[in-house]
Amino acid sequence: MIATTTPAETRTLVENISWQTFKTMLAEMGCNRNTKFAYDHGNIEIMTPQMPHENSNRNIEGFVIILCEELGLEIKRAGSLTLTRDDIQRGAEPDSSYYIQNEYLVRSKDKIDLAIDPPPDLVLEVEYSRPQIDKLKLYAALGIPEFWRYNGSKLRIYTLTNGEYLEVEISPTFTPITIKEITGFLAETSNIGEIATTRIFRNWVKEQLWKK
């Protein structure tokens, strides 16, 4: 008997699509869908998440909330908010996005327009498989200050500097916590459960803050 593994996500690249066609696709398909889109220079990546992908996404979000609570930071969760810029003809739907530093500017808003509103302060992409579009260039163009990538075993943190991303060891949003330790806690959820791991993570964050 051959064991099979369910992929964490599937990715499809569609080429030579105009910006207007992409905007029409978004409007016609609406928000009630499982797929997430990214658009850059005429190419569309269509990503369909499966259980491992979504589970990692949700667990990381739980850790982000705890970090905000323990550091006294307010937050507005924007999820897979569709981010589009007509002026540069680029768009993306991250796995998760958050307003933290600029939360007060969008607190009461139900709709975000990047022509007048700031982009999310932090976005997360779960990437068990190789992206079909260069997300570093895409999110840099959209002006996202902090970008997290999780590939199933490692969390990478990037900050926007002079229009390009630089990988860093410490998240500027959650200083002085060593955010990359999150990967160990993610692995632990499969052993002792998500609630138990969340409790341990919160205690760990408190210990880190106490040491500082």
Side-chain angles (χ1 to χ4, degrees):
M1 181 176 180
I2 300 176
T4 59
T5 302
T6 301
E9 74 250 336
T10 60
R11 298 180 188 273
T12 302
L13 183 67
V14 182
E15 301 178 297
N16 301 316
I17 302 297
S18 71
W19 176 249
Q20 189 54 52
T21 298
F22 172 63
K23 294 290 288 293
T24 300
M25 288 174 59
L26 290 176
E28 292 181 347
M29 296 185 72
C31 298
N32 296 321
R33 52 184 164 83
N34 192 35
T35 54
K36 296 184 177 73
F37 293 156
Y39 181 95
D40 191 12
H41 290 102
N43 296 324
I44 299 177
E45 179 194 76
I46 305 173
M47 191 278 291
T48 304
Q50 304 298 331
M51 175 63 85
H53 182 112
E54 284 295 84
N55 188 240
S56 295
N57 180 30
R58 301 300 179 182
N59 280 323
I60 292 174
E61 175 159 295
F63 296 150
V64 168
I65 297 304
I66 289 173
L67 287 164
C68 286
E69 289 175 347
E70 296 302 327
L71 287 165
L73 302 172
E74 193 49 84
I75 187 172
K76 185 180 182 73
R77 287 170 280 189
S80 297
L81 176 68
T82 301
L83 304 168
T84 57
R85 289 256 312 261
D86 289 331
D87 57 330
I88 58 174
Q89 297 192 352
R90 283 171 161 152
E93 294 177 326
D95 286 301
S96 291
S97 58
Y98 308 96
Y99 284 93
I100 302 174
Q101 292 90 340
N102 286 318
E103 178 275 337
Y104 70 100
L105 293 175
V106 299
R107 181 176 299 173
S108 61
K109 293 197 172 187
D110 295 324
K111 184 178 180 179
I112 298 296
D113 181 354
L114 293 186
I116 57 175
D117 297 316
D121 298 298
L122 169 63
V123 302
L124 165 70
E125 287 276 0
V126 177
E127 301 172 335
Y128 282 80
S129 58
R130 183 182 180 88
Q132 298 297 304
I133 285 178
D134 189 333
K135 298 298 176 62
L136 286 174
K137 290 183 178 179
L138 178 56
Y139 285 118
L142 292 172
I144 306 297
E146 186 170 347
F147 176 33
W148 290 11
R149 311 179 85 166
Y150 178 67
N151 67 1
S153 61
K154 187 172 183 178
L155 178 66
R156 295 181 182 273
I157 302 166
Y158 300 88
T159 58
L160 193 61
T161 304
N162 297 324
E164 296 183 353
Y165 281 119
L166 297 178
E167 186 172 359
V168 297
E169 293 296 318
I170 302 293
S171 163
T173 302
F174 300 119
T175 303
I177 305 300
T178 308
I179 301 303
K180 291 188 176 183
E181 295 293 336
I182 281 177
T183 55
F185 291 98
L186 286 171
E188 195 64 15
T189 60
S190 298
N191 297 321
I192 64 175
E194 295 179 12
I195 297 299
T197 303
T198 296
R199 188 179 301 113
I200 293 172
F201 180 77
R202 184 183 295 275
N203 290 334
W204 176 79
V205 171
K206 289 180 177 180
E207 290 175 1
Q208 299 304 304
L209 292 175
W210 181 81
K211 291 177 182 179
K212 301 299 180 180

